[in-house]
Amino acid sequence: MAERSPATRRTLWLVLSLVFAFLYIPIAVLVALSFNEGGLPTAWSGFSLKWYASLAGNSAILSAALNTLIVALVSTAIATLLGTLLAIGIEMRRQYGKALEALIFAPMIIPDIVLAIALLSFFSMLNLTMGLHTIILAHVVFNLAFVCSVVRARLKSFDWSIVEASADLGASALTTFRRVTLPVIAPAVIAGALLAFTLSVDEFIIAFFTAGAGRASTTLPMQIYAMIRFGITPEINALATIVMAVSITALTLSQRLNRGIIGQ
């Protein structure tokens, strides 16, 4: 490939810098203003941690955080179990049509608003009372596809002959899975679980449509939306910074575990 001229490289670096600035300067401003001592969200008046301290005394935020944690943990556990089994079943079969592939990964590409309306209609048709349980079921639906995708990436290079060898030596299917298959795919399973947890913590649209009335089923993104309707405050900036930190941490761990899975 021909070497780019200095002018071309400078132009590319300029465009790249502008893109990164557009993406990350607003986030940096949000984080900085979360430490603002004053009550105005746009005028800096000194460094302070009081807005983080005030979050600890806000019962509505604490209740929403607990609901978010419950939804994320339960939906992640269910989606990880089902997604892993689905990935193993697909790869063991090895012969599947494009229609099955599309059905499995449809929740990943369908717009959230469409999936939310579909799930709301489905729950209403079943006469289910809306609450945390419906949010959990809804999150399992789209998280399952992400977990399955990550685990399948590892299974693409999995040597199925060792499974056959284990069976030939008299091991049961459960023993083979526990002693042979699971240790090999464990990093991918954990990476998929962390990704599912992150998506569940951040998700708003589907939770908004499938939640019940009142604080009992309000998640943290829903609480932030309710607060921001009356104006942005440093308290909201602090809350958003905490949510972002949790998401970045989970995604970083997921990427570290997922690194090299496809190439193995």
Side-chain angles (χ1 to χ4, degrees):
M1 188 173 65
E3 185 178 353
R4 297 186 179 92
S5 65
T8 301
R9 289 199 296 268
R10 285 194 296 269
T11 302
L12 290 175
W13 276 111
L14 176 61
V15 172
L16 182 63
S17 300
L18 290 174
V19 170
F20 274 100
F22 178 77
L23 288 175
Y24 293 109
I25 285 179
I27 297 176
V29 170
L30 179 144
V31 173
L33 290 177
S34 69
F35 298 100
N36 187 15
E37 184 178 8
L40 295 176
T42 56
W44 180 262
S45 58
F47 181 87
S48 176
L49 295 173
K50 69 176 183 179
W51 301 111
Y52 288 90
S54 69
L55 294 177
N58 192 319
S59 60
I61 291 177
L62 293 178
S63 176
L66 179 60
N67 290 340
T68 298
L69 190 61
I70 292 173
V71 170
L73 289 176
V74 176
S75 64
T76 296
I78 298 174
T80 300
L81 175 62
L82 296 180
T84 300
L85 294 177
L86 179 61
I88 293 174
I90 292 174
E91 290 303 317
M92 286 184 66
R93 186 183 178 193
R94 299 186 183 181
Q95 292 182 353
Y96 47 86
K98 295 296 183 182
L100 176 61
E101 190 95 7
L103 286 174
I104 293 172
F105 298 108
M108 296 175 63
I109 59 176
I110 292 177
D112 285 351
I113 186 68
V114 176
L115 185 59
I117 295 173
L119 289 168
L120 174 61
S121 302
F122 179 70
F123 293 149
S124 299
M125 183 180 66
L126 297 179
N127 292 322
L128 284 178
T129 303
M130 299 296 177
L132 283 183
H133 58 288
T134 51
I135 300 177
I136 290 172
L137 290 174
H139 281 197
V140 168
V141 169
F142 72 84
N143 276 337
L144 190 150
F146 287 96
V147 174
C148 181
S149 177
V150 174
V151 176
R152 281 189 66 196
R154 178 65 185 93
L155 289 172
K156 289 292 186 182
S157 59
F158 183 73
D159 185 5
W160 291 99
S161 64
I162 61 176
V163 175
E164 298 172 357
S166 176
D168 291 340
L169 292 173
S172 65
L174 180 59
T175 301
T176 300
F177 174 77
R178 183 170 56 87
R179 302 289 296 272
V180 178
T181 309
L182 186 58
V184 176
I185 66 173
V189 173
I190 297 173
L194 289 172
L195 177 60
F197 180 83
T198 303
L199 293 173
S200 186
V201 167
D202 290 343
E203 204 285 318
F204 168 74
I205 297 176
I206 294 176
F208 183 79
F209 275 77
T210 57
R215 185 184 295 181
S217 59
T218 299
T219 62
L220 210 50
M222 294 169 62
Q223 181 64 31
I224 293 175
Y225 172 74
M227 295 169 63
I228 208 170
R229 293 174 64 187
F230 300 99
I232 299 176
T233 66
E235 189 176 36
I236 295 177
N237 291 336
L239 182 57
T241 300
I242 293 174
V243 173
M244 183 178 62
V246 172
S247 300
I248 291 175
T249 301
L251 280 174
T252 301
L253 291 174
S254 176
Q255 288 181 345
R256 285 183 177 275
L257 288 169
N258 206 24
R259 183 180 300 169
I261 287 178
I262 296 178
Q264 291 180 356

